[in-house]
Amino acid sequence: MPDSGVSRAQRERHEEHMVHAHPPTLPGTAAASAARRAGLLVTLVLGGLTALPPLSMDMYLPALPAVTDSLHAPASTVQLTLTACLTGMALGQLVVGPMSDRWGRRRPLLLGMIVYVAATAICAFAPSAELLIGFRLLQGLAGAAGIVISRAVVRDLYDGDEMARFFSTLMLISGVAPVIAPVIGGQVLRFTDWRGIFAVLTVVGVLLTLVVWKWLHETLPEPDRHTGGIGDALRTMRGLLADRVFTGYMVAGSLAFAALFAYVSASPFVVQEIYGASPQTFSLLFGINSVGLIAVGQINGKILVGRVSLDKALGFGLAVISLAAIALLLMTSGVFGEVGLLPVATGLFVLMSAMGLAMPNTNTQALMRTRHAAGSASALLGTSSFLIGAVASPLVGIAGERTAVPMAVVQVVCSLSAVACFLVLCRPWRNRAGLPDQPTRG
């Protein structure tokens, strides 16, 4: 059975400790009020941490064609700046996750944020595409701390349906970032060049580092930390990967994320170069799609969780993503003749919105199986997502800048593979039959 997690009282003590609330000797109503205030503050801080990656990626998207011209590099090379950042975020999580299980959540997070700020500032002065790729890699390596540790903190504090609801709430906050990031990026380009975008990201990183330093306190007590070295961390990860169901949720979620990132990577060229939209129009469409993702995520957390099994919601989300990807392939390949921007944008909206069912539920189902190593489990989830996304990113431009077919092909392959992993490895019908698989402990 998945780990039973902590009691409500334990979570309240954790949350009160995090913001220096009154000790648990307060009267019941005061203690509950303090816990609610702590929970809201934790949500806002973790939302900021999870919003940093989409800020780092999406503010930069409207500038991709401008970077291509400024650095005199082909589009495929400039797209590698996205791949480098994504790869860095993937590899960094493998290091930071086990570190947070050994030394706690706070110190590795602060170190990563400081390095992120420095790397982002350097990106603003990169004189060539090659150097920009290198510093984007470093930016991703450091930014991984916020991604992996925020998920581990959620696992420290919540379990079961409450964890699913929290991830959906977190999606509401972090989902604002992709809504406003391209809009901010497009507006920044009206007053300066693409380097100004990295200057803005540097300021955001500094502010978030200060917020983490002041308000996010330790959630992993010393008795619960791992004391082993690299060998122990590797054994823990091997045990997690040996759990077929954990691996199934991990890979299914990663493939769904790859379908999403194929859109993120290709959409600036598809919308602006193929369909002739302006950077501001692209930003508007990207924001609308992100609103769809947020809305469905809230439907998942506020309405579906507790009424519909997480596996049913996840399966429905993966099915919709697959159908939307197939529709996009048919439209972009000319099966329906010449189609304009509106039908393609509609297909992308449906695909993005359905991610609101897939992303929080895969994370929840995977993390429910492992309380003993939340940092390492979070690292594997994030690394898998970002590595598969990094592979998908350059494939969308393999046929040049004037066709959207490669984007749709990548999305179809990834979404159908995600469905296959969910069915073959997770076997959701076992849970409905009351026969949950046993997790493997590292």
Side-chain angles (χ1 to χ4, degrees), residues 215-251:
W215 281 301
L216 187 64
H217 298 273
E218 189 56 65
T219 62
L220 185 66
E222 288 194 21
D224 293 339
R225 298 178 189 178
H226 290 194
T227 57
I230 295 176
D232 182 64
L234 292 176
R235 283 190 294 273
T236 298
M237 289 187 174
R238 186 170 63 246
L240 291 169
L241 292 174
D243 179 359
R244 170 180 50 78
V245 180
F246 172 86
T247 301
Y249 286 119
M250 178 187 73
V251 177

Side-chain angles (χ1 to χ4, degrees), residues 377-396:
S378 178
L380 288 174
L381 289 171
T383 297
S384 175
S385 294
F386 283 103
L387 279 180
I388 295 177
V391 170
S393 175
L395 296 178
V396 301

Side-chain angles (χ1 to χ4, degrees), residues 70-428:
S70 173
L71 299 181
H72 307 290
S76 58
T77 300
V78 173
Q79 282 177 325
L80 287 176
T81 62
L82 296 174
T83 302
C85 186
L86 206 62
T87 302
M89 290 179 181
L91 299 178
Q93 291 183 69
L94 286 178
V95 177
V96 177
M99 284 176 59
S100 74
D101 282 338
R102 183 175 183 183
W103 289 298
R105 314 303 186 199
R106 179 175 165 83
R107 284 185 291 174
L109 176 58
L110 285 172
L111 176 61
M113 292 300 300
I114 291 170
V115 177
Y116 171 88
V117 169
T120 304
I122 296 172
C123 283
F125 299 97
S128 67
E130 290 74 20
L131 285 175
L132 181 59
I133 290 170
F135 287 120
R136 288 281 278 175
L137 177 65
L138 179 60
Q139 183 191 42
L141 287 167
I147 305 168
V148 66
I149 291 178
S150 62
R151 268 197 307 264
V153 169
V154 173
R155 187 62 185 96
D156 290 340
L157 299 175
Y158 298 96
D159 196 14
D161 287 348
E162 287 189 348
M163 182 163 52
R165 291 190 183 96
F166 191 92
F167 273 127
S168 294
T169 301
L170 210 58
M171 182 173 290
L172 172 63
I173 298 172
S174 63
V176 172
V179 173
I180 65 173
V183 176
I184 295 173
Q187 295 305 313
V188 169
L189 291 176
R190 296 177 65 132
F191 301 100
T192 182
D193 62 6
W194 60 271
R195 299 179 189 276
I197 293 177
F198 285 107
V200 173
L201 284 172
T202 301
V203 174
V204 172
V206 170
L207 293 175
L208 188 54
T209 302
L210 293 175
V211 167
V212 169
W213 176 76
K214 183 171 179 60
W215 281 301
L216 187 64
H217 298 273
E218 189 56 65
T219 62
L220 185 66
E222 288 194 21
D224 293 339
R225 298 178 189 178
H226 290 194
T227 57
I230 295 176
D232 182 64
L234 292 176
R235 283 190 294 273
T236 298
M237 289 187 174
R238 186 170 63 246
L240 291 169
L241 292 174
D243 179 359
R244 170 180 50 78
V245 180
F246 172 86
T247 301
Y249 286 119
M250 178 187 73
V251 177
S254 300
L255 288 166
F257 179 82
L260 169 63
F261 198 74
Y263 157 73
V264 170
S265 182
S267 59
F269 297 99
V270 171
V271 174
Q272 296 180 73
E273 301 295 331
I274 298 178
Y275 292 98
S278 67
Q280 288 72 37
T281 300
F282 163 73
S283 300
L284 177 62
L285 291 175
F286 197 94
I288 291 173
N289 290 344
S290 299
V291 168
L293 186 150
I294 295 170
V296 174
Q298 293 313 291
I299 291 172
N300 178 71
K302 305 297 185 183
I303 299 176
L304 299 182
V305 171
R307 295 180 175 88
V308 178
S309 74
L310 299 182
D311 278 334
K312 284 184 179 179
L314 172 57
F316 182 76
L318 292 177
V320 173
I321 292 169
S322 300
L323 292 174
I326 292 171
L328 284 167
L329 179 59
L330 294 176
M331 286 188 286
T332 57
S333 61
V335 172
F336 300 131
E338 191 75 22
V339 297
L341 177 59
L342 182 59
V344 173
T346 302
L348 292 172
F349 174 79
V350 173
L351 185 145
M352 277 280 284
S353 298
M355 294 290 173
L357 294 175
M359 294 167 65
N361 290 326
T362 50
N363 284 335
T364 300
Q365 291 288 67
L367 288 173
M368 275 203 303
R369 301 183 65 80
T370 168
R371 183 167 185 83
H372 60 286
S376 296
S378 178
L380 288 174
L381 289 171
T383 297
S384 175
S385 294
F386 283 103
L387 279 180
I388 295 177
V391 170
S393 175
L395 296 178
V396 301
I398 199 170
E401 304 170 27
R402 298 297 176 181
T403 175
V405 171
M407 176 193 73
V409 169
V410 170
Q411 290 172 331
V412 168
V413 171
C414 289
S415 59
L416 292 179
S417 299
V419 172
C421 285
F422 175 60
L423 294 177
V424 173
L425 297 179
C426 302
R427 301 176 186 174

